[in-house]
Amino acid sequence: MKYAIFGDIHANLEAFQAVLEDAAAQECTDRVCVGDIVGYGANPRECIALVQELGCPVVKGNHDEEAVLETSLEGLNPLARQAMEWTRAQLDNDDRAFLKSLKLVRQVRDFTIVHATLDTPGSWTYVTNKFDAMASFSYQFTQLCFYGHTHTPRIYVKGDSVEPLEEMEVRLEMGRKYFINIGSTGQPRDGDWRSSYAIYDADNQEVTIRRIDYDIETAQDKIIDAGLPEMLAHRLSLGK
Ligand code: ZN
């Protein structure tokens, strides 16, 4: 089994399609999504439809949750708020029912998926250092867990202590646990504009984070044509 694990698609259809094409070229057998299908980008409905078509396991992200609420968006920053108001107006009842149905945490075969953290998955806090990762590891009952939310790929390993790796690939060892941020498909924020996703090769017990070029100009044009804030198009090329 070879799993392609992606998330934080954020309605960027061009990036999502490029990741799926790469996963096919890499001979992945399964697809898994760690949430935030919508928000920011111009193709929320198309990205939901593509996830549904794949029929893959999915967990809920904070934007997937926000998109189906009718509550005020006061808490969000202005960019996120404008994008979310636009996104809410696009979705139909079936899209909303689908996003609502998503769970916060799921186990897929021998690994776990969650959007933000395992210790408080519905609070949408961020894992930005090894101490945050340690809190999540306390609730991790499989050797391997994949997550997203920060839009920055990172591999944390728990042996005697918890440490982040420098590398973007790891061979799994017995007695160790791995909490792996797969980065963002549709809006990377680590200074690299290319889409990020992970391949978990279960037969060889290896995880690799891949970076993929996509048609960024089309994604940016669509954001501007939709009347979304131009900054959302601009930030894609900055990778932040
Ligand atoms: Zn996100």
Side-chain angles (χ1 to χ4, degrees):
M1 306 289 276
K2 211 171 174 185
Y3 297 87
I5 302 144
F6 45 79
D8 292 289
I9 299 162
H10 285 294
N12 185 338
L13 184 62
E14 286 67 34
F16 190 16
Q17 285 170 333
V19 160
L20 292 177
E21 274 168 30
D22 187 71
Q26 296 295 316
E27 298 179 333
C28 289
T29 55
D30 291 77
R31 279 108 189 104
V32 177
C33 178
V34 304
D36 270 3
I37 303 167
V38 303
Y40 299 126
N43 288 119
R45 302 202 64 213
E46 293 79 359
C47 289
I48 290 172
L50 194 42
V51 169
Q52 287 173 326
E53 197 181 303
L54 294 171
C56 63
V58 197
V59 284
K60 186 185 286 182
N62 50 313
H63 285 257
D64 304 323
E65 182 179 79
E66 280 286 353
V68 299
L69 295 177
E70 282 162 24
T71 51
S72 135
L73 294 163
E74 287 304 309
L76 294 182
N77 70 58
L79 271 188
R81 189 170 66 227
Q82 257 183 286
M84 188 50 71
E85 279 165 1
W86 182 89
T87 300
R88 283 181 178 180
Q90 307 303 310
L91 303 182
D92 72 10
N93 285 336
D94 289 344
D95 299 329
R96 278 190 281 273
F98 174 71
L99 294 178
K100 255 185 206 165
S101 74
L102 302 177
K103 294 186 165 57
L104 291 173
V105 184
R106 279 187 70 166
Q107 189 170 334
V108 183
R109 297 292 181 103
D110 60 347
F111 61 89
T112 308
I113 53 172
V114 67
H115 186 66
T117 71
L118 286 173
D119 47 324
T120 55
S123 306
W124 313 115
T125 51
Y126 292 86
V127 175
T128 55
N129 58 50
K130 66 178 180 180
F131 302 104
D132 302 331
M134 275 157 85
S136 212
F137 272 124
S138 316
Y139 293 84
Q140 184 175 323
F141 305 113
T142 53
Q143 186 188 22
L144 192 52
C145 176
F146 296 98
Y147 73 107
H149 196 41
T150 66
H151 298 208
T152 301
R154 179 84 69 241
I155 300 175
Y156 289 99
V157 184
K158 182 176 190 281
D160 295 332
S161 62
V162 171
E163 298 297 339
L165 295 185
E166 290 294 324
E167 303 78 44
M168 286 293 143
E169 56 191 343
V170 65
R171 178 177 280 266
L172 307 182
E173 291 174 40
M174 295 271 282
R176 292 181 168 219
K177 281 185 177 178
Y178 302 85
F179 187 50
I180 300 181
N181 192 315
I182 59 167
S184 169
T185 286
Q187 196 197 75
R189 293 181 191 158
D190 60 338
D192 181 343
W193 66 273
R194 296 172 301 161
S195 289
S196 179
Y197 82 103
I199 292 183
Y200 168 38
D201 183 337
D203 301 330
N204 293 313
Q205 287 293 289
E206 283 172 354
V207 176
T208 310
I209 292 170
R210 292 179 62 77
R211 301 306 289 255
I212 307 300
D213 291 358
Y214 72 95
D215 181 0
I216 187 169
E217 286 84 9
T218 299
Q220 290 174 314
D221 288 348
K222 283 182 178 177
I223 286 173
I224 290 164
D225 292 348
L228 284 157
E230 278 190 30
M231 182 57 199
L232 292 176
H234 184 53
R235 74 187 295 183
L236 290 181
S237 26
L238 304 175
K240 65 182 205 183

